[in-house]
């Protein structure tokens, strides 16, 4: 399901959309869209006139036909947007084949259909199994092929505990065995929700769409009023007017273009998000994304390349470098964190020390704990070797550790710690017994190109704030290097939440990404919270979007998609309303010409005849909807411009263009009509 | 001709800008309940005493519903009181000529007219209403209806400037402060200047003058009468004139209004009267910038109003200066222009300037007869009123009317920057759009709906004097003028019939209250919102681009609706006239 593009000319899609267009033209469905509903009423009234009015059937037939086309073109726009979503949903559905699950109940394993699984059930998945439903790994680790959901073919690791414990229904376990606790009932899984969303079944109008709908309805009502009151004025002047002409005038003046394309624009927006492998829980979130002006970005993985890497060993004064490296490696052998692994690797690469089978030495590993804030290893006394106690941790943690045993942190070590911290690195002090051996320099590596992206965001008026657990010194150095506007150092979940609240109090709209359970409150508080698909269930439920690629940088694209949606909607509204000017100049003179030939100078387009003028205007009005469908579905490109430049550009293209286009279009159609043999 | 035109117009706009700026600074003190003005020593005790007398706690603010309720109660009481006075004036004092009661429909029309700041006059003042009715029933509204309009604008601007606020001010405090600190001193000063120009200010009886050249007329009874004596109007004209202009009221002391030499004697008084009409609306636009902390925004809105005013002046002056082609054909010099219906003391430019100004603002005082303008010259006053009186507009109502267009404009074009629309940090959502759209809808419905009814009904047709498109213009003008709360009339329509008195009264009520209720509702919504932080990514509310977009909004949302009917009225008449057909 990677960005799958659907061609407009796909015959199957077209046929499907046409059927949808006709179904949607049902007035009992259509009344929800007042603009197109009024158009349909106009078409009906005009059609009735074919049979009732004795004169000029040919004109009435043409007007009626084009009014019906207008209705169908508008419903077609929505139908084609939905069809594209459906096509995407179908490819998703293939992943949702009926699977059998091994349910674990009271210690026994039983085979049940995936549809029977309920929240809280435990299932076992071994290599080759499809994960039957969304869940959380509670035991074991496995590699999983998630290409069905993410389109990414490289398998990923899912393991119990930590922030990579979530598995998605429909993905395939490739190796090992895991026990999964099911977290959703049938029909409620992630895949189900995604299908519903892209199909448009669950689509609700977004706040801005509702507001625009109200304005369009009000304009429709006003224009209806204008035309209905025109009748007595015309009668007073003894100027006859036909009902099809009035219907044509109404339809030309009411904003049919945007009225027909509005919902297609919304559906296409969500669709674009899905194509970027982001799934939104509502269209509202997409719209909110356009308004975001503060991005909270986790340093790790977003701004810097994953994790900190050991880059240097700095021995204490009078300590042999190799002794430090050896102790550091021993202390890290059992440390499965990326930092721990990078220490082992650095020791191997720089000093040729290989990882030893330490279990033989009956070593006891001391895992990192929040109380001691250290990890390390203990060796009992054996084979004459004395007992050893190696620890690594932050400067102050080790200092406390040394003090307890009557030692202290030497001046040289303290200096190294300060220097590393100043440079934005993380110092890790290694100690054995009551002696400090030296410092490991862990360093963050800023991602390439990220600085340019932040500059582009700044241009769009978006401020970036880096969130990090580092101390302020370290954070400042990295913030400087990455070019973020601000940073939040030593961030606890509470601090993150408080920061979001503070920004919101100041009138900002905040977006953030997160994956851990402790991110959940902040994700829920943020205006746009993008949870990583690899994240915990809590995080995924708290956010209003889930990124299937688990790429924190995706937030930037999400904001752009939101903006694109709003720009497209605004530009087409402007275009639609600006079109009215020319249509007035086509139809009003045409209405009066018969009774008052002196009005001819108002016919500034020099259209051939009153009938041709009215028909040309109606044809233009109908065709412009079709012509703009591709733009509505594709969206208007942003190109990272400032608001001011964007506004000027769009005002010129869609405002001024909207003013000029119908003059050219209507005149052109009028000329073409004159070439027809039966005229 | 052109040089002198541009000199006059240029000087006029410079003067207007200066007056707007100076008065805006003063408004800042007046519209702040704790503001300090140099009139405090005199007026502060009077203000406190008024609150105590009326039992108003000046520190207690109201939410938008409370503010609206106070306003409506105050207006309703004033309206009923005036209606009552007009109906029982025969029993009241100061009725030397013994005028009887007004008919119920005329009393209704007149009471509504003055309560809504319209001052549409279906009665002839000299021969219908007593001095008591004039002073207590009608003149008092010149102050209170103006203060009501300014109060709403002040409340709206407070709403814009506030964040998460429940209240938008205290109506009674606004009313009292605007009347005491703004309208009374300004009117006092202006009356003095008018007196210096020769406008009478006395309580003397009408003078009688012996005619040097007696004239003969034939009365309705067919008998010839010789007139040798003329009665010359006297009274407190200067004070009436001052508030009539300043409060954009427009109800003249005499039937000839500002064309009468006693109301408007000199070119200086003419300029002064035009500036007086524009000064408070202009100052309010500038004050908008001060109130929300963005001066450039206030001037941008002022600029849009000025551009629309200038455009109107240009078209109107051009049409009038061209003159009537039929008369030119008969040998009249084209340089004479169209002088029909214009006071020769003022000539074409000063008449056109006055006509455009009085209809752009909702004043409605006239110094020439708009009915006698060329079709396109008369189109401008009509167009101004149909825009909803937002080209400076009525005192207060012009600004809040324009702000409705600003809100709609920001909503229409704001999306194009890729954010949901916001105005001065306030999000424009469904409820805000609903309120803004309702107020536009009310105006269109009132003007077009009632005009259509008039033109299709025997009662409406009965009042029309001229045939064809000119007759249509007369009806349209009447309902545009009353709906816009302007009050100027296109002569030719006999409005004093029960049907017209009632429908025109309804138009005035609709134009005033169906507009201000959604506007105050919008103010309540905006005040309650938190303010989104300003950033360079926000929609620009000043500068050339904003001005162009706001102009486009006014034209597309406000003006385009009236294009069809204007095409049938003045535009059609223009073409017919050039083809030799008149009405």
């Amino acid at each position: 399901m990677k960005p799958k593009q659907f061609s407009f000319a796909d015959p199957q899609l077209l046929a499907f959309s046409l059927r949808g267009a006709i179904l949607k033209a049902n007035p009992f469905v259509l009344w929800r869209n007042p603009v197109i509903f009024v158009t349909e009423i106009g078409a009906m009234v005009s059609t009735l006139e074919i049979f009732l009015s004795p004169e000029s059937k040919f004109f009435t037939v043409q007007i009626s036909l084009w009014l019906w086309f207008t209705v169908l073109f508008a419903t077609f726009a929505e139908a084609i947007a939905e069809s594209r979503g459906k096509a995407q949903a179908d490819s998703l559905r293939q992943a949702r084949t009926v699977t059998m699950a091994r349910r674990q109940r009271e210690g026994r394993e039983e085979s049940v259909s995936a549809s029977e699984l309920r929240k809280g059930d435990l299932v076992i998945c071994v290599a080759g199994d499809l994960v039957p439903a969304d869940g959380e790994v509670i035991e074991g680790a496995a590699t999983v092929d998630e290409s069905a959901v993410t389109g990414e073919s490289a398998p990923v690791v899912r393991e119990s505990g930590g922030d990579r414990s979530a598995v998605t229904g429909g993905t395939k376990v490739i190796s090992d065995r895991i026990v999964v606790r099911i977290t959703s009932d049938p029909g409620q899984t992630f895949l189900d929700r995604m299908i519903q969303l892209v199909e448009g079944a669950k689509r609700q109008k977004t706040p801005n769409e509702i507001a625009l709908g109200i304005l369009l309805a009000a304009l429709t009502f006003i224009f209806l009023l204008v035309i209905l009151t025109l009748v007595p004025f015309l009668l007073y002047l003894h100027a006859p007017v036909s009902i099809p002409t009035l219907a044509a005038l109404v339809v030309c003046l009411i904003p049919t273009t945007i009225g027909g394309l509005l919902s297609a624009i919304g559906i296409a927006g969500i669709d674009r998000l899905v194509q970027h492998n982001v799934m939104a829980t509502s269209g509202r979130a997409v719209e909110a994304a356009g308004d975001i002006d503060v991005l909270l970005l986790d340093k790790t993985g977003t701004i810097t390349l994953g994790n900190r890497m050991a880059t240097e060993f700095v021995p204490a004064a009078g300590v042999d470098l190799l002794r430090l490296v050896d102790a550091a490696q021993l202390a890290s052998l059992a440390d499965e964190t990326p930092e721990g692994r990078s220490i082992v690797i650095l020791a191997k690469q720089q000093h040729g020390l290989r990882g030893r089978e330490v279990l033989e030495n009956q070593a006891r590993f001391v895992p990192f704990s929040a109380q001691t804030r250290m990890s390390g290893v203990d060796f009992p006394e054996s084979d004459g070797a004395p007992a050893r106690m190696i620890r690594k941790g932050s400067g102050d943690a080790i200092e406390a550790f040394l003090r307890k045993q009557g030692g202290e942190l030497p001046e040289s070590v303290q200096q190294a710690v300060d220097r590393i911290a100043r440079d934005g690195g993380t110092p890790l002090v290694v100690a054995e017994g009551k002696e400090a051996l030296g410092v490991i320099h862990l360093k963050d590596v800023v991602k390439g190109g990220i600085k340019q992206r932040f500059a582009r965001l700044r241009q769009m008026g978006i401020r970036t704030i880096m969130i990090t657990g580092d101390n302020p010194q370290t954070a400042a150095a990295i913030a400087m290097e990455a070019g973020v506007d601000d940073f939040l150092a030593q961030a606890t979940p509470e601090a993150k939440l408080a920061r979001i609240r503070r920004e919101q109090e100041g009138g900002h709209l905040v977006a953030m990404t997160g994956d851990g359970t402790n991110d959940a409150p902040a994700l829920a508080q943020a205006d746009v919270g993008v949870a990583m698909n690899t994240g915990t269930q809590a995080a995924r439920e708290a956010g209003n979007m889930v990124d299937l690629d688990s790429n924190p940088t995706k937030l930037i694209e999400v904001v752009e998609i939101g903006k694109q949606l709003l720009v497209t909607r605004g530009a087409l509204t402007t275009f639609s309303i600006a079109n009215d000017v020319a249509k007035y100049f086509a139809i009003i003179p045409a209405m009066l010409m018969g009774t008052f030939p002196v009005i001819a100078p108002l016919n500034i387009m020099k259209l051939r005849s009153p009938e041709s003028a009215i028909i040309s205007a109606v044809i233009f009005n109908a065709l412009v909807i079709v012509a703009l469908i591709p733009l509505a579905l594709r969206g208007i490109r942003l190109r990272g411009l400032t608001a001011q430049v964007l506004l000027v550009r769009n005002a010129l293209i869609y405002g001024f263009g909207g003013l000029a286009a119908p003059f050219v279009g209507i005149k052109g159609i009028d000329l073409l009509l004159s070439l027809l043999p039966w005229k | 001709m052109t040089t002198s035109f541009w000199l006059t117009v240029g000087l006029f706009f410079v003067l207007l800008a200066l007056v707007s700026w100076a008065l805006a600074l003063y408004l800042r003190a007046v519209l702040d309940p704790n503001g300090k003005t140099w009139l405090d020593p005199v007026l502060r005790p009077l203000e406190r005493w008024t609150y105590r007398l009326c039992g108003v706690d000046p520190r207690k603010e109201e939410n938008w519903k409370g503010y609206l309720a106070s306003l409506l109660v105050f207006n309703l009481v004033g309206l009923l009181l005036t209606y009552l006075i007009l109906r029982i004036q025969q029993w009241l004092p100061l009725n030397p000529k013994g005028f009887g009661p007004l008919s119920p429909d005329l009393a209704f029309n007149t009471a509504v007219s003055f309560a809504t700041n319209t001052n549409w006059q279906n009665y002839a003042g000299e021969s219908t209403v007593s001095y008591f009715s004039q002073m207590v029933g009608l003149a008092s509204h010149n102050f209170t209806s103006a203060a009501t309009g300014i109060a709403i604008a002040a409340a709206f601007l407070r709403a814009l400037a506030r964040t998460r606020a429940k209240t938008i001010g205290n109506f009674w405090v606004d009313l009292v402060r605007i009347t005491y600190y703004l309208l009374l001193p300004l009117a006092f000063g202006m009356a003095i200047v008018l007196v210096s120009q020769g406008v009478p200010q006395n309580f003397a009886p009408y003078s009688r003058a012996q005619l040097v050249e007696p004239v003969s007329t034939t009365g309705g009874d067919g008998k010839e009468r010789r007139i040798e004596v003329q009665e010359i109007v006297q009274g407190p004209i200067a004070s009436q004139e001052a508030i009539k202009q300043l409060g954009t009221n427009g109800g003249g002391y005499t039937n000839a209004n500002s064309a009468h030499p006693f109301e408007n004697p000199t070119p200086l008084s003419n300029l002064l009267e035009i500036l007086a009409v524009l000064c408070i609306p202009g100052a309010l636009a500038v004050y908008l910038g001060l109130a929300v902390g963005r001066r450039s925004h206030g001037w941008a809105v002022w600029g849009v109003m000025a551009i629309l005013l200038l455009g109107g002046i240009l078209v109107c002056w051009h049409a009038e200066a061209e003159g009537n082609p039929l008369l030119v054909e008969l040998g009249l010099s084209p340089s004479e222009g169209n002088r029909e219906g214009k006071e020769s003391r003022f000539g074409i430019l000063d008449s056109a300037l006055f006509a455009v100004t009085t209809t752009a603002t909702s004043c409605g005082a006239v110094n020439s007869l708009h009915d006698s303008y060329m079709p396109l010259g008369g189109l401008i006053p009509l167009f101004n009123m149909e825009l909803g009186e937002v080209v400076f507009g009525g005192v207060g109502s012009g600004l809040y009317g324009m702000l409705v267009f600003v809100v709609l404009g920001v909503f229409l074009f704001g999306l194009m920057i890729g954010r949901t629309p916001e105005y001065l940090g306030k999000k424009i959502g469904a409820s805000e759009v609903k309120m803004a759209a309702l107020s536009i809808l009310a105006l269109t419905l009132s003007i077009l709906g009632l005009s259509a009814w008039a033109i299709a009904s025997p009662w409406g047709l009965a009042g029309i004097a001229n045939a064809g498109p000119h007759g249509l213009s007369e009806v349209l003008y009447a309902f545009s003028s009353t709906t816009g709360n302007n009050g100027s009339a296109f002569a030719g329509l006999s409005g004093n019939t029960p049907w017209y008195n009632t429908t025109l009264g309804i138009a005035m009520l609709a134009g005033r209250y169906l507009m201000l209720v959604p506007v105050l509702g919008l103010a309540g919504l905006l005040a309650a919102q938190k303010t989104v932080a300003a950033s360079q990514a926000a929609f620009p509310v000043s500068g050339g681009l904003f001005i162009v977009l706001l102009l486009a909004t006014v034209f597309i949302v406000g003006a385009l609706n009236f294009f069809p009917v204007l095409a049938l009225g003045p535009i059609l008449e223009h073409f017919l006239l050039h083809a030799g057909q008149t009405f």
Side-chain angles (χ1 to χ4, degrees), chain A residues 19-61:
Chain A
R19 211 174 70 92
I22 292 165
L23 288 177
K24 280 175 191 295
N26 176 357
F28 295 99
V29 181
L30 200 60
W31 66 268
R32 282 170 219 275
N33 184 344
V35 183
I36 305 304
F37 182 65
V38 168
T39 308
E40 188 166 46
I41 301 277
M44 287 176 183
V45 171
S46 176
T47 309
L48 203 63
E49 264 327 273
I50 300 175
F51 307 103
L52 297 180
S53 159
E55 53 198 307
S56 184
K57 286 220 190 302
F58 186 61
F59 172 72
T60 314
V61 168

Side-chain angles (χ1 to χ4, degrees), chain A residues 236, chain B residues 120 371 382 451 455 463-481 489-494 500 504 569-570 573 583:
Chain A
Y236 165 78
Chain B
W120 173 271
D371 185 43
L382 196 52
S451 297
I455 216 85
I464 302 174
N466 300 69
H470 196 77
L472 179 60
S473 296
E474 285 169 4
V475 170
L476 200 60
Y477 196 100
F479 286 103
S480 302
S481 173
F490 213 50
L493 186 81
S494 319
Y500 271 114
L504 291 171
E573 191 188 349
F583 299 94

Side-chain angles (χ1 to χ4, degrees), chain A residues 331 335 366-369 372-377 390-393 398:
Chain A
D335 183 353
V366 181
F368 181 86
S369 81
T372 61
R373 291 181 297 136
M374 293 183 299
S375 63
V377 62
I390 305 173
R391 291 288 181 275
K392 68 180 201 297
I398 295 292

Side-chain angles (χ1 to χ4, degrees), chain B residues 81-346:
Chain B
L81 204 65
T82 301
Y83 178 82
L84 190 71
I85 290 171
L86 294 175
R87 291 287 290 149
I88 60 166
Q89 64 173 352
Q90 69 277 23
W91 301 323
L92 296 172
L94 287 176
N95 189 357
K97 292 200 174 172
F99 291 134
L102 272 66
S103 67
D105 53 281
L106 183 58
F108 163 73
N109 184 286
T110 306
V112 167
S113 170
F114 278 79
T116 56
N117 195 249
T118 310
N119 298 29
W120 173 271
Q121 291 162 301
N122 263 350
Y123 62 94
E126 301 93 314
S127 57
T128 325
V129 286
S130 71
Y131 287 165
F132 184 85
S133 303
Q134 281 272 21
M135 282 159 56
V136 181
L138 305 182
S140 59
H141 283 295
N142 280 355
F143 285 93
T144 54
S145 68
T148 301
I150 300 172
I152 298 165
F156 197 94
L157 297 190
R158 262 180 224 127
L160 278 179
R162 289 179 179 181
T163 297
R164 286 203 172 139
K166 288 196 175 68
T167 61
I168 56 172
N170 182 319
F171 173 70
W172 306 107
V173 172
D174 285 341
L175 184 73
V176 167
R177 287 187 64 88
I178 290 164
T179 310
Y180 286 2
Y181 290 88
L182 184 69
L183 297 176
L184 280 173
L186 274 182
F188 184 78
M190 174 151 174
I192 301 281
V193 180
L194 285 177
V195 167
S196 81
Q197 295 300 302
V199 179
Q201 176 74 13
N202 56 40
F203 291 100
Y206 289 9
S207 325
R208 294 171 68 84
Q210 203 68 36
L211 288 184
V212 183
E213 277 181 57
V215 286
S216 303
T217 60
T218 314
D221 48 5
K223 281 185 198 156
E224 198 180 281
R225 272 192 302 159
R226 202 175 153 74
I227 298 172
E228 292 177 346
V229 175
Q230 185 189 0
E231 272 202 331
I232 296 175
V233 67
Q234 297 289 331
I237 301 180
S239 58
Q240 279 289 309
E241 192 65 19
I243 190 61
K244 168 192 122 186
Q245 300 296 105
L246 285 167
T248 62
N249 292 293
Y253 188 86
T254 62
N255 210 23
N257 211 312
S258 285
H260 195 288
F262 280 2
E263 287 202 31
N264 190 4
T266 65
L268 181 63
S269 72
N270 195 55
L271 175 70
L272 199 67
E273 291 192 6
I274 296 177
L275 275 179
V277 170
L278 290 168
C279 71
I280 295 178
L284 276 168
V286 177
Y287 171 68
L288 157 72
L290 301 180
V292 301
R294 286 196 206 183
R295 290 177 186 217
S296 56
H297 177 51
W299 280 110
V301 171
W302 188 94
V304 167
M305 293 172 165
I307 289 169
L308 287 168
L309 184 68
L310 179 63
I313 292 170
L314 282 176
V315 175
C316 185
W317 171 72
H318 184 75
E320 295 308 302
E322 286 259 288
N324 189 329
L326 301 182
L327 293 178
V328 172
E329 244 170 65
L330 292 175
L332 195 74
S333 162
S335 65
E336 285 298 311
N338 175 33
R339 290 186 176 272
E340 182 193 328
K342 293 185 184 68
E343 171 74 15
S344 55
R345 290 180 298 131
F346 301 126

Side-chain angles (χ1 to χ4, degrees), chain A residues 278 292 294-303 447 465-467 496 500 510-524 526-533 535 539-540 542-547 550-559:
Chain A
V278 177
I292 293 303
V294 173
L295 285 188
L296 291 192
L297 296 169
D298 265 328
K299 181 198 75 179
T300 311
T302 311
I303 296 168
K447 278 185 179 175
I465 300 176
M466 181 182 82
I467 306 281
K496 261 194 228 185
I500 293 177
V510 185
M512 72 165 284
T513 53
D515 53 3
T517 301
N518 58 11
D519 284 334
L523 278 172
D527 300 282
V528 171
V530 183
M532 300 294 102
N533 193 36
R540 286 168 32 161
N544 44 16
M545 287 187 199
V546 176
D547 178 18
S550 302
N551 170 10
T553 327
K554 195 69 81 57
L555 202 50
I556 297 168
E557 268 104 37
V558 169
V559 170

Side-chain angles (χ1 to χ4, degrees), chain A residues 208 211-212 222 225-226 230 233 236 290-291 460 504 506-508 563 566-567 570 574 577 584 592 598 601 643 647 650, chain B residues 411-413 415-416 418-421 427 430 441 445 455 468 472 530-533 537 545 556 560-561 564-565 568 576:
Chain A
N208 177 258
L212 189 54
I222 288 178
L225 188 78
V226 169
L230 201 55
F233 296 142
Y236 165 78
D291 283 349
M460 290 162 70
Q504 287 172 334
H508 295 284
K563 283 199 179 297
L566 295 171
V567 169
T574 306
I577 292 174
Y584 271 118
L592 294 175
V598 290
L647 185 60
N650 288 329
Chain B
F411 183 80
L412 274 178
F413 301 116
L415 279 173
M416 283 197 291
R419 295 174 66 156
T420 56
K427 286 281 172 203
L441 213 62
L445 187 66
I455 216 85
L472 179 60
K530 68 175 178 183
T531 308
V532 176
L545 185 61
I556 289 175
L560 225 45
N561 310 330
V565 74
L568 295 182
L576 288 173

